[in-house]
Amino acid sequence: MKTKRSLLLAVLALACVAVAVQDQDKGVLLVDKNGNFKIYDAPSSLFDLLESGDISFKAEGSPMRGFSKQQGLTFSAKKMEGYAKRTSDGNLRLQNGTATGDVVMDVKSSVEAAQTTTSSHIETQSLKMTETDTGTTVVFPGPFLFNNSLTTTNLERTIQLKAPSGTFLLPVLDQTAGMKNPFLHADVKGPVDVLVVSKTKTDRGTSQWTVHVVCDSVTYDASDRTLRLLGNVKGDVTTQPATGEPFGFDVNVDWITILLDDNMMWKDVRMGKGGVQSKGGGQ
Amino acid sequence: MDVDDSQIKFTGENDSTAVVQGVKGTLMKDGKVASHFVAKDGHADTSTGRLVLTGSVRITSERDGVVLTADKVTYDEKTALVIAEGSVTVQSDAWMSGPHRSLVAPPALDKIGTPDRFGL
């Protein structure tokens, strides 16, 4: 009995040592004093400590992970090279980064008072992001999935884009709180798969607007709030009013331009040559 | 490398090695002070150009005040690299890194990485 207990204790002790060694191997690559910025799970890493207090880093893991709370950003990838800037409040902030291999990035912001939450989820094999004073450019040289969702007291909207490559200009990441418009500019090369689902709550109930199209390219510019779906635009648009029958139509046209309102709901839709077939009511 | 304020005992046939207790000193780069170190024990070998520090080793960079702590640090004059082993942490006034099993850095601690990043 005593031997068994000793053996059990020895096994437990060995297990504890193994866990401790494993933790130390993974280590914390870097965490700032306020716990705002952290890079971890990076068994291979190198960082240059610049005279300015900024840090240039390279990290690899399976995957390596990180976050920047101030920017509402979490990320993981097999490899990442980046530049973390030291801010006046003592935090580190990801100013640019190139990530490769199973890249997953999430950006989240919320304004409690306005009960508004916006989040973006990105999956790709390669991504480059650069932050300036006016915005954050995200370049996807290869295939990517970009999923953006907005939730307010009366609106739930998701935009999903899948494409072989694209470039986005987003607002400065910690200035997106409460913004209903996730992009300042987008330029996406196709074939682009676009899915927009927007649900609006009203006194009469919930209405839903769904657009699912595939096209050759997509551009969007916040200055004119116009989404341009260009080349071989095929898909369908469905509207489910708060009361009454749903209606919708299948499209197969050269192009569609959609003028959006403040809530990124369509205000005006124009289409090029092609066929539009009504689905009719009662579907 | 400079070593001061220490008890030094020379050993070996050619008096090329020194065992130092309560060691404190500086690491130089290009004739300038790059960092300062303290450790419980030190072992310097002039024939190999290696300084081995053990026991609560602490290296502080001259430029940024970045502090590296480890159980053992080997400074190789030929490669001009500091190899830190055992519960290695690096800390500045703004951030910290570690614990790591092993980290490598030049004496100024202005570039810090895992051994594979320095070809080790």
Side-chain angles (χ1 to χ4, degrees):
Chain A
M1 187 69 181
K2 201 173 177 183
T3 314
K4 272 187 181 174
R5 192 182 294 165
S6 301
L7 192 64
L8 183 65
L9 285 172
V11 168
L12 280 172
L14 277 172
C16 289
V17 169
V19 167
V21 168
Q22 195 178 24
D23 283 350
Q24 198 177 45
D25 282 347
K26 282 190 158 186
V28 172
L29 172 61
L30 194 74
V31 59
D32 67 11
K33 279 277 162 71
N34 301 325
N36 169 72
F37 180 92
K38 184 174 176 180
I39 292 173
Y40 58 107
D41 287 355
S44 174
S45 57
L46 178 71
F47 47 105
D48 279 294
L49 313 177
L50 307 176
E51 209 158 354
S52 58
D54 300 346
I55 295 172
S56 170
F57 66 87
K58 292 177 182 175
E60 282 183 49
S62 305
M64 55 75 63
R65 301 172 195 278
F67 61 73
S68 173
K69 286 183 188 170
Q70 195 176 46
Q71 293 168 290
L73 186 67
T74 59
F75 48 87
S76 64
K78 284 183 177 168
K79 285 186 185 181
M80 186 163 180
E81 292 187 24
Y83 189 95
K85 190 168 178 59
R86 189 171 171 177
T87 61
S88 54
D89 51 10
N91 291 326
L92 286 171
R93 184 182 177 90
L94 187 65
Q95 198 166 51
N96 68 58
T98 300
T100 53
D102 299 338
V103 184
V104 177
M105 189 174 269
D106 288 281
V107 186
K108 193 171 182 179
S109 65
S110 59
V111 178
E112 244 172 74
Q115 292 181 298
T116 301
T117 303
T118 56
S119 61
S120 294
H121 174 79
I122 291 165
E123 291 178 21
T124 185
Q125 289 302 314
S126 181
L127 168 156
K128 185 177 182 179
M129 70 152 279
T130 311
E131 186 179 76
T132 66
D133 292 341
T134 52
T136 305
T137 303
V138 182
V139 178
F140 300 100
F144 70 92
L145 165 73
F146 192 121
N147 210 331
N148 175 269
S149 68
L150 167 74
T151 307
T152 70
T153 47
N154 61 353
L155 177 70
E156 275 179 45
R157 189 209 59 220
T158 59
I159 300 172
Q160 182 182 282
L161 286 165
K162 281 191 274 188
S165 66
T167 301
F168 294 83
L169 177 61
L170 313 178
V172 176
L173 294 182
D174 52 350
Q175 293 171 18
T176 57
M179 289 177 79
K180 291 175 181 173
N181 186 345
F183 315 121
L184 297 175
H185 185 84
D187 188 2
V188 185
K189 303 296 181 199
V192 189
D193 189 308
V194 186
L195 174 65
V196 181
V197 180
S198 195
K199 291 180 189 173
T200 310
K201 286 180 198 162
T202 65
D203 296 340
R204 290 172 295 158
T206 302
S207 63
Q208 180 170 319
W209 177 62
T210 306
V211 179
H212 186 198
V213 293
V214 177
C215 58
D216 290 346
S217 66
V218 172
T219 64
Y220 172 76
D221 202 281
S223 60
D224 59 6
R225 283 210 197 99
T226 303
L227 180 65
R228 293 176 175 84
L229 312 172
L230 306 170
N232 300 308
V233 186
K234 292 175 187 168
D236 62 272
V237 179
T238 310
T239 298
Q240 168 67 65
T243 57
E245 295 297 320
F247 63 93
F249 46 88
D250 295 319
V251 293
N252 186 352
V253 293
D254 280 350
W255 53 264
I256 301 179
T257 59
I258 304 172
L259 181 62
L260 300 164
D261 68 10
D262 289 344
N263 289 324
M264 296 288 282
M265 292 288 282
W266 65 277
K267 245 166 92 173
D268 182 54
V269 179
R270 291 175 189 208
M271 296 181 195
K273 274 195 302 186
V276 177
Q277 188 165 356
S278 171
K279 288 180 173 182
Q283 288 183 51
Chain B
M1 70 193 91
D2 281 349
V3 179
D4 54 33
D5 293 347
S6 309
Q7 296 173 356
I8 301 176
K9 186 175 96 184
F10 286 96
T11 60
E13 284 180 9
N14 302 319
D15 291 344
S16 63
T17 63
V19 177
V20 189
Q21 289 174 333
V23 64
K24 179 172 142 185
T26 56
L27 296 176
M28 311 289 286
K29 190 186 177 190
D30 301 329
K32 291 179 183 171
V33 174
S35 57
H36 305 271
F37 63 82
V38 292
K40 281 183 183 164
D41 297 295
H43 179 198
D45 187 335
T46 54
S47 66
T48 60
R50 283 193 162 200
L51 170 69
V52 180
L53 304 167
T54 51
S56 304
V57 186
R58 184 183 172 95
I59 302 179
T60 306
S61 76
E62 173 76 0
R63 189 190 74 183
D64 303 319
V66 169
V67 177
L68 180 148
T69 59
D71 296 335
K72 178 184 175 187
V73 166
T74 305
Y75 176 66
D76 186 334
E77 233 172 14
K78 285 178 191 161
T79 59
L81 289 175
V82 167
I83 300 164
E85 295 166 281
S87 303
V88 187
T89 64
V90 187
Q91 210 160 348
S92 82
D93 61 338
W95 52 264
M96 73 86 63
S97 177
H100 298 275
R101 185 188 284 178
S102 180
L103 280 183
V104 179
L109 305 184
D110 53 353
K111 186 189 281 279
I112 295 168
T114 46
D116 59 304
R117 297 284 177 169
F118 291 85
L120 300 175

